[in-house]
Amino acid sequence: MTAQPQYRTASTVEDFRVHLAEVHGRIAAAASRAGRDPGTVTLLPVSKTVDSDRLRLAVAAGCTDLGENKVQEALRKSGELADLPELHWHVIGHLQSNKAKFVARFAHGFQALDRLSLAKTLNNRLEAEGRTLDVMVQVNTSGEDSKFGLPPAEVAAFMQELPAFDRLRVVGLMTLAVNSPDEQRVRACFKTLHALRGQLQQEAPSGVELGELSMGMSGDFELAVEEGATVVRVGQAIFGARALPDSYYWPTGG
Ligand SMILES: *Cc1c(COP(=O)(O)O)cnc(C)c1O
C-alpha cells in the first residue's frame, strides 16, 4: 500500500492559487513525460462538499468551471453563486432520471450519460428550458459492479443512438479508474478508455464528437494525463481532504 497523500485545506485565495499552480505543474510534468502539449489538458476542479463561501475564493483564484457529483448540492450552490455568471457547472456523478430537470436548468456539462432513457429525459427537459448541454458517455473501464457506466463493448451501439437527441452535444468519454494502489491496474483503465475512443472515432455518427477523455482525479491524475486524458477532475488536491470516504459519494444503488 502506498501512503495516502495529505491533502491540505485551502482557506484563502492565496492557498487556492498555490494549490492550483501545484496541480497545473504536475499536469504539465506528466504531459511532457508523455510527449503531450500540457495545453491539451483541462483541469476541472471538483467542489463537492465545499461551501459556497470557499468556492468564491477558488473563483477569485481563477477557477471558471466546477464539477459536482450530486445534482441538488450543485443546484443550490449555482443559485448561491448566481452573481458569478462566468462560472460553469459540470455534473460528473450518476444521475437519476427524476433529477434530469435540475441538470437541464443550470449545468453546462454532464459527464455521466449511461443510458438512453436518461438521454431522452435530459433532451426533453433541455428543450423545455431552451438550452443545450455538453455530455460525455460514462464507461465502466474497471469492470467493478460498484462503478456506473456502460461496459466498453456497449458504447458503439449506444453512440449510434445519440444523434436523435439534438439538445445533447456529445463531446467525449468519461471514466473512473479502479481505486487501487496497483498503478498498473489504474493505468489499464485509462488505456481502455483511450483505446475505445480510437476504435469509436472511425464510426462516430455525425454530430458525435469524442475528442474529450475525462479521466483522473486527485490520486491518479498524472497517470491519466500520461495515458491521454484531456480533462482531469481534481477535488481534494485543490480544496483539501474530504471527511467522508468516496463510497459515500458513489452510492451503488440506482
Ligand atoms: C469526487 C470526484 C472526483 C474528484 O475526486 P478527488 O479525490 O476529490 O480528486 C472525480 N470524479 C468524480 C466522479 C467524483 O465524484
Side-chain angles (χ1 to χ4, degrees):
M1 288 283 288
T2 51
Q4 277 298 101
Q6 298 297 311
Y7 298 118
R8 290 159 294 137
T9 299
S11 47
T12 65
V13 177
E14 184 54 24
D15 289 345
F16 278 108
R17 286 209 183 97
V18 169
H19 292 187
L20 286 165
E22 283 172 3
V23 172
H24 279 296
R26 290 168 59 190
I27 290 171
S32 74
R33 283 197 292 279
R36 299 185 59 205
D37 171 4
T40 59
V41 184
T42 301
L43 170 60
L44 176 63
V46 175
S47 52
K48 63 190 182 208
T49 76
V50 180
D51 64 38
S52 293
D53 288 342
R54 239 162 29 97
L55 295 187
R56 287 185 186 278
L57 305 177
V59 171
C63 294
T64 58
D65 291 74
L66 295 173
E68 291 275 345
N69 82 332
K70 294 200 173 188
V71 187
Q72 264 131 329
E73 178 181 346
L75 181 65
R76 172 175 56 76
K77 292 177 187 174
S78 75
E80 290 166 357
L81 299 175
D83 58 309
L84 303 173
E86 303 298 305
L87 189 56
H88 287 157
W89 296 89
H90 301 258
V91 173
I92 61 175
H94 180 71
L95 181 63
Q96 292 168 269
S97 294
N98 62 1
K99 294 181 183 158
K101 57 179 179 286
F102 301 124
V103 171
R105 262 178 229 164
F106 77 99
H108 186 83
F110 172 57
Q111 297 197 359
L113 186 64
D114 60 358
R115 58 199 191 279
L116 287 176
S117 59
L118 179 60
K120 186 164 190 288
T121 307
L122 270 173
N123 200 69
N124 290 342
R125 293 293 182 171
L126 286 159
E127 209 154 70
E129 299 284 342
R131 298 184 74 241
T132 60
L133 184 68
D134 286 358
V135 299
M136 297 188 199
V137 176
Q138 184 172 355
V139 183
N140 182 344
T141 54
S142 70
E144 296 167 290
D145 290 343
S146 62
K147 294 278 199 300
F148 289 107
L150 288 164
E154 292 177 19
V155 181
F158 183 76
M159 181 181 72
Q160 296 303 326
E161 306 292 330
L162 296 180
F165 309 108
D166 62 347
R167 297 280 163 167
L168 304 180
R169 282 194 44 213
V170 183
V171 297
L173 305 175
M174 178 273 221
T175 202
L176 283 160
V178 63
N179 181 6
S180 163
D182 180 348
E183 199 177 295
Q184 291 317 313
R185 289 184 61 210
V186 173
R187 205 183 272 280
C189 295
F190 300 144
K191 282 184 190 290
T192 296
L193 197 72
H194 193 162
L196 180 64
R197 194 227 352 226
Q199 292 158 24
L200 297 176
Q201 258 171 341
Q202 328 288 329
E203 24 176 313
S206 97
V208 171
E209 298 289 334
L210 298 174
E212 305 293 349
L213 292 179
S214 174
M215 53 191 200
M217 28 200 276
S218 292
D220 58 18
F221 70 86
E222 287 147 306
L223 297 180
V225 169
E226 288 175 16
E227 297 302 336
T230 67
V231 177
V232 292
R233 309 177 306 267
V234 177
Q236 296 179 92
I238 297 171
F239 293 95
R242 278 186 302 273
L244 295 163
D246 279 340
S247 55
Y248 173 80
Y249 306 101
W250 300 327
T252 51

